[in-house]
Amino acid sequence: MRDIIFEDFPFGIICIDGNQQIIRKNKKSDQLLYPINERELFPLLLKLKDEQTSLWIGPNNQPLYFKFFSVEGSSHSLVLIGTEPDFTSNVPSFFERRIEDFPADPHGVTERIVGLISDAVTFERLDLLRIQPETQRFAYDYSIGINLERTVHTVFVKMNDKSGLSWIFNHETPHLVDDLGKVQNRLEDPLLFNTGFRSILRVPIVLGHGVVGAIMLASSEAGRFQLEDAFLIDQFSKLCAQAYFHSGLQLEYNSQKITATAFFQTTTALLDENNIKDFLIEYCDKLHNLSGMEHICIFLTDEKMKQRLCLAEAGKDSFAEGQWLPVPDSGMTEMFKTQAIVAFNIKSQAYTGGDQLLGKGFTSIIYSPIINNGKIVAALGGVSSDERALSPEIYYLFKSSSEQLNFVFKNDRLNQLRTPAPVKYRNCQAAHIGFQKIIGASPIMQETIRRAATAAQYEFPILITGETGTGKELFAKAIHQTSQVAKGPFIVVNSAAIPDNLLESELFGYQEGAFTGGLKGGKRGKVLLADGGTLFLDEIGELSTELQAKLLRVIQEQEVEPIGSTKPIPVHVRIISATHRNLKQMVQDGRFREDLLYRLNSIEIQLPPLRERGTDIIELAEHMLQELAKQHGVHPKTFSSEAREILMEYNWPGNVRQLQNLMNRLFVFVESKTIQPKDLTPDLRSALESTNETEKEKMKRLLNEFGGNKTALAQSLGITRTGLWKKLKRLELQ
């Protein structure tokens, strides 16, 4: 744990090693135990621990509370000292505000958890896992760092009873491996050791009486993770458990609603039809429209013969041959092996045999098994022009869809489906291409679209600037889809979301043997994955000066040199970057290379903030409500004239992203067909009034407005109930 965080704890921490020696303590512990010296301190701590004493009257007649922390795998122990019974619920100020304002949407929850861990602990791999306690299956919600050797991305796979993950699931406590090379009867997965990892920290995310997730950190350096790290991550997991669990419920709910809508719409469209293949083509079409994937396909499979037969598909291209063929790629093979969802980048070294997808504008692919009586009888597949197939939303969506389709593939129907026949295909090529998805008829937005569409025809680097939440990634993808490299992949790199020590290998890849823990055969970086397509560098202003120099070479020379390589590799990549920062000011401050800025902004596209787009605000809001209604199979809501006026006059500091979050809440919580001013969040209503309220006065007024209903207030503010409780406690309103 970094010293600045260790000292920032609002209570005392003393670390004792296996030889019963004090090896570390923070200044707060000295303050609380003053004037006790170290010679007197250790016998006192041993006595308190042996007697399991939690309350002791200190030398200044101050009551002090003690807690003791240890984990399996470490001989060290922590003594925690505070002035109130629940003192460990407090966290360093570095984390407090970021936990207090915990976002409510699944994306935001995951990004906040990963960001907080990255700021606190140095690692070479981080995995955030969602766990289904009832089935003991898990899914990778987020992974960053060195890949495990010879693996593809499996989703909702059964836990190995002998794995470290299974251990923390059963014991509901952290597990620390100081040196994996010295572990005799390994609970650890052999892949971790073979990949080069030596220090492992696993922390369960526990809610109530069950494990709903896990945080897993790995390093190639033995002894990297200390007991203090385990304590910090364990405390943090307790604070984020409710938000993480509910974000998983939201993902599950959203996917179930979408697939239920697809199923309902399909059966309605074919109410008088008995042809199963017509049903399947309708299902592919509806799922294609609702999921945002470029192509959907349903296969009949023969696991024994390793063959598959395409039955129906929908999307911008057809891949079906109408006959039984060998399974073409390693992805479906891995699906047979694990009976789990698999997803991967089609240029990943872990994926082979997908040549038919290259050069068609696809980037990622997913397979989801349809299981009947314990056997895979069919599969649902999807491809995307970006890495959307690797996202949790798509995992949950395909999981729910496969479970629904299982009812179609009954034994009595399988025989008639096994006979090869012309494939049912629906061409939906024009559905989601280029700038057609961008909403906005205002003059300023139309001019921005015109400039971007013109720039897309040339291969000059493009810099997209604008405030946070204005839609920079949406514009980048639209530029890619209308450019000369539209048939190539579209790869996104969020420079702000990846720790500095991992960003270089993520961007440029590495050769085998470049460093301890690297994969056999090396790893292709994002630049090579984007070869022949577009690399979108979001938050480019967060790159270190060292990486800026390497990126400059990629742009100038159109070649990349992976870590450990002595020979550059030619690439043909269209570079689009984006930032909300003032890069020119960063150049003057010495934080951004001037020569790189000149290369990146050959063409600059500045996106207007939402407050400057006039009636686009209403057009966007109504479009969002219509999309939500279509996804969930209900009639769309409308706005009253008074509510429209408030939306138009509000400042929208969070831009389109803030508007989308508001529409999500209105869609869920407003029961009437017409949205009134009273339904809008207090922030919107109060922002229009001239007031000099302090934060405390504002929260006090909102508590009164909501009649003390903290759950409703938290939902209105877009934060968790725990976050609201923290905010009220800080403002002394709790």
Side-chain angles (χ1 to χ4, degrees), residues 49 257 352-353 526 530 541 622:
K49 185 175 182 181
K257 290 289 288 184
T352 57
K526 297 291 189 180
E622 290 179 338

Side-chain angles (χ1 to χ4, degrees), residues 152-397:
V152 293
H153 213 151
T154 55
V155 184
F156 296 113
V157 67
K158 185 79 172 176
M159 285 186 206
N160 183 336
D161 292 339
K162 297 181 180 180
S163 69
L165 177 61
S166 180
W167 191 94
I168 65 169
F169 176 82
N170 291 320
H171 292 80
E172 298 187 4
T173 59
H175 187 272
L176 177 63
V177 179
D178 190 59
D179 188 348
L180 190 58
K182 296 180 180 179
V183 177
Q184 298 299 321
N185 53 339
R186 280 192 194 116
L187 281 171
E188 307 308 318
D189 307 289
L191 282 175
L192 292 171
F193 184 83
N194 295 339
T195 303
F197 292 123
R198 294 298 176 265
S199 186
I200 312 292
L201 173 61
R202 290 185 173 92
V203 178
I205 301 175
V206 183
L207 185 65
H209 297 288
V211 177
V212 298
I215 298 165
M216 298 173 37
L217 303 176
S219 172
S220 60
E221 178 185 344
R224 160 66 70 183
F225 305 118
Q226 301 297 318
L227 185 61
E228 301 95 297
D229 298 317
F231 172 72
L232 176 64
I233 303 300
D234 186 52
Q235 292 300 105
F236 176 58
S237 74
K238 291 179 171 65
L239 293 170
C240 75
Q242 186 179 38
Y244 191 61
F245 176 71
H246 285 289
S247 69
L249 290 181
Q250 185 176 339
L251 284 171
E252 189 96 36
Y253 171 78
N254 290 342
S255 64
Q256 287 176 352
K257 290 289 288 184
I258 291 174
T259 54
T261 300
F263 206 83
F264 175 79
Q265 292 177 350
T266 302
T267 53
T268 302
L270 298 171
L271 196 59
D272 297 323
E273 297 287 343
N274 296 315
N275 190 307
I276 298 175
K277 291 187 178 180
D278 286 340
F279 174 91
L280 294 177
I281 183 60
E282 286 291 336
Y283 193 90
C284 286
D285 182 51
K286 298 298 186 295
L287 190 59
H288 169 261
N289 290 330
L290 293 168
S291 67
M293 299 286 283
E294 267 67 34
H295 191 88
I296 298 290
C297 189
I298 296 175
F299 299 96
L300 199 64
T301 61
D302 187 327
E303 184 175 357
K304 183 178 180 180
M305 300 299 295
K306 294 293 185 292
Q307 292 183 330
R308 56 103 175 105
L309 172 67
C310 182
L311 298 176
E313 58 179 341
K316 69 175 188 177
D317 284 298
S318 175
F319 305 110
E321 297 85 1
Q323 56 184 312
W324 284 95
L325 293 173
V327 169
D329 57 58
S330 58
M332 191 171 280
T333 302
E334 185 70 15
M335 181 193 72
F336 285 138
K337 178 181 175 182
T338 62
Q339 289 205 339
I341 298 172
V342 296
F344 35 80
N345 187 302
I346 63 174
K347 285 193 175 182
S348 168
Q349 287 160 293
Y351 171 59
T352 57
D355 296 343
Q356 77 277 13
L357 297 176
L358 297 176
K360 295 181 179 291
F362 298 127
T363 300
S364 59
I365 186 170
I366 183 170
Y367 288 119
S368 182
I370 300 169
I371 301 174
N372 191 336
N373 295 325
K375 292 179 58 179
I376 297 178
V377 297
L380 176 64
V383 289
S384 175
S385 61
D386 54 17
E387 293 187 301
R388 180 173 174 77
L390 308 179
S391 68
E393 292 94 334
I394 296 301
Y395 300 162
Y396 279 97
L397 185 59

Side-chain angles (χ1 to χ4, degrees), residues 351-467:
Y351 171 59
T352 57
D355 296 343
Q356 77 277 13
L357 297 176
L358 297 176
K360 295 181 179 291
F362 298 127
T363 300
S364 59
I365 186 170
I366 183 170
Y367 288 119
S368 182
I370 300 169
I371 301 174
N372 191 336
N373 295 325
K375 292 179 58 179
I376 297 178
V377 297
L380 176 64
V383 289
S384 175
S385 61
D386 54 17
E387 293 187 301
R388 180 173 174 77
L390 308 179
S391 68
E393 292 94 334
I394 296 301
Y395 300 162
Y396 279 97
L397 185 59
F398 272 58
K399 175 178 176 287
S400 297
S401 293
S402 298
E403 290 169 352
Q404 287 184 339
L405 287 170
N406 181 51
F407 293 102
V408 177
F409 290 91
K410 298 297 183 182
N411 289 331
D412 56 345
R413 291 176 177 166
L414 288 176
N415 289 334
Q416 69 181 96
L417 291 173
R418 290 184 181 280
T419 304
V423 178
K424 295 287 186 176
Y425 167 61
R426 185 158 298 172
N427 191 329
C428 311
Q429 185 165 2
H432 303 293
I433 293 181
F435 295 94
Q436 297 174 11
K437 292 182 67 176
I438 298 177
I439 307 299
S442 63
I444 190 172
M445 199 60 182
Q446 286 297 304
E447 175 60 18
T448 304
I449 292 173
R450 186 194 66 79
R451 285 173 49 81
T454 301
Q457 305 307 311
Y458 304 91
E459 292 195 21
F460 299 116
I462 295 177
L463 176 64
I464 304 175
T465 58
E467 297 177 7

Side-chain angles (χ1 to χ4, degrees), residues 593-634:
R593 293 179 61 112
E594 186 175 23
D595 49 0
L596 178 59
L597 176 60
Y598 289 145
R599 287 287 184 177
L600 292 175
N601 72 345
S602 296
I603 300 174
E604 181 176 346
I605 305 294
Q606 185 169 9
L607 303 188
L610 185 57
R611 60 183 171 273
E612 295 180 4
R613 293 176 56 181
T615 56
D616 283 357
I617 296 171
I618 304 301
E619 185 181 358
L620 276 166
E622 290 179 338
H623 173 77
M624 291 170 181
L625 288 177
Q626 288 170 1
E627 286 297 304
L628 288 168
K630 184 171 71 172
Q631 290 175 8
H632 295 84
V634 298

